[in-house]
Amino acid sequence: HDGGYYLVMEYVDGADLARHLDGPLAEPLALHVLHELTLGLAYLHAARDPNGLPLGIVHRDVGPANVLVSTSGDVKLGDFGIAKATALADLTQAGARKGRYAYMAPEQLAGEPITGAADQFGVGITLVELVAGARPFAGETPWALRDAIRAGASLDTMPADLAAIAARALAFDARDRYPSIDDLRCALAAAQRHRAPATALDLGDRVRARLAATPAAG
């Protein structure tokens, strides 16, 4: 404006998942949120340039803090500040790690090249956190966290079908995860069909109730 650049961002009337909907959530509601999240990621991963060539965009920082939920029940993936179009020239310093360690895939923790499978890992961590109420791995350093991931997660407190989905999404080797984020979305949708339905209206009610119970800042 008047020769100066500025950024216009959408205002989401609600909160991020980490701050106001830290789990556990009712399973139907958690699966609704995760299905919408993977739907957005599937769109992102499938993005193409004007010539129809895949851009290979990876979000790289999928976790509750970047999932926005609104009072009308919308689910939005935000903070694309470190998203990477892997088809473009890699100008990132070799071995650089970006994002929140707790939600990083092991290949990302090691500073290795990543694909959309890394975003699956973030969804898997979020799934466990929303359903079981705690993250499946802990470590004071990226390497300690990577060792914990290699050892595998204990998912005994989760229903068997959701534990199976989480275990595959959290596989140490990216090749052992789902073929695509859309395959993960389909697995979540199948789990939804075996539970009571949850809709955007239910999520909106939950967000409004949580906001009403949270003291205003300042």
Side-chain angles (χ1 to χ4, degrees), residues 127-209:
L127 166 60
V128 177
E129 192 168 6
L130 291 186
V131 174
R135 290 193 294 268
F137 307 113
E140 294 184 1
T141 67
W143 295 112
L145 185 59
R146 196 168 187 264
D147 288 342
I149 296 169
R150 187 191 297 273
S154 176
L155 305 173
D156 296 342
T157 61
M158 298 179 66
D161 59 341
L162 300 187
I165 294 172
R168 186 167 183 183
L170 295 174
F172 185 85
D173 190 328
R175 295 170 294 184
D176 294 331
R177 297 173 205 152
Y178 287 93
S180 71
I181 198 74
D182 199 54
D183 290 293
L184 173 53
R185 180 193 63 79
C186 289
L188 292 167
Q192 281 181 293
R193 290 194 288 271
H194 296 290
R195 289 165 172 80
T199 68
L201 293 176
D202 299 316
L203 179 59
D205 289 343
R206 177 70 170 81
V207 174
R208 288 193 298 273

Side-chain angles (χ1 to χ4, degrees), residues 41-53:
L41 283 168
Y43 177 86
L44 181 70
H45 290 179
R48 294 175 177 269
D49 70 11
N51 296 318
L53 297 176

Side-chain angles (χ1 to χ4, degrees), residues 31-179:
L31 286 170
H32 171 73
V33 171
L34 290 161
H35 181 268
E36 295 299 291
L37 172 59
T38 50
L39 192 64
L41 283 168
Y43 177 86
L44 181 70
H45 290 179
R48 294 175 177 269
D49 70 11
N51 296 318
L53 297 176
L55 286 174
I57 300 177
V58 183
H59 186 281
R60 297 159 56 112
D61 198 12
V62 176
N66 287 336
V67 179
L68 306 179
V69 286
S70 79
T71 54
S72 58
D74 295 319
V75 179
K76 296 177 180 286
L77 178 62
D79 196 354
F80 283 76
I82 66 169
K84 185 71 166 294
T86 56
L88 303 180
D90 188 350
L91 300 180
T92 303
Q93 181 180 356
R97 302 184 192 92
K98 295 184 177 181
R100 296 168 177 82
Y101 287 151
Y103 298 91
M104 280 186 179
E107 63 270 23
Q108 190 174 0
L109 286 168
E112 299 169 355
I114 62 171
T115 66
D119 286 344
Q120 280 191 49
F121 196 90
V123 173
I125 296 282
T126 303
L127 166 60
V128 177
E129 192 168 6
L130 291 186
V131 174
R135 290 193 294 268
F137 307 113
E140 294 184 1
T141 67
W143 295 112
L145 185 59
R146 196 168 187 264
D147 288 342
I149 296 169
R150 187 191 297 273
S154 176
L155 305 173
D156 296 342
T157 61
M158 298 179 66
D161 59 341
L162 300 187
I165 294 172
R168 186 167 183 183
L170 295 174
F172 185 85
D173 190 328
R175 295 170 294 184
D176 294 331
R177 297 173 205 152
Y178 287 93

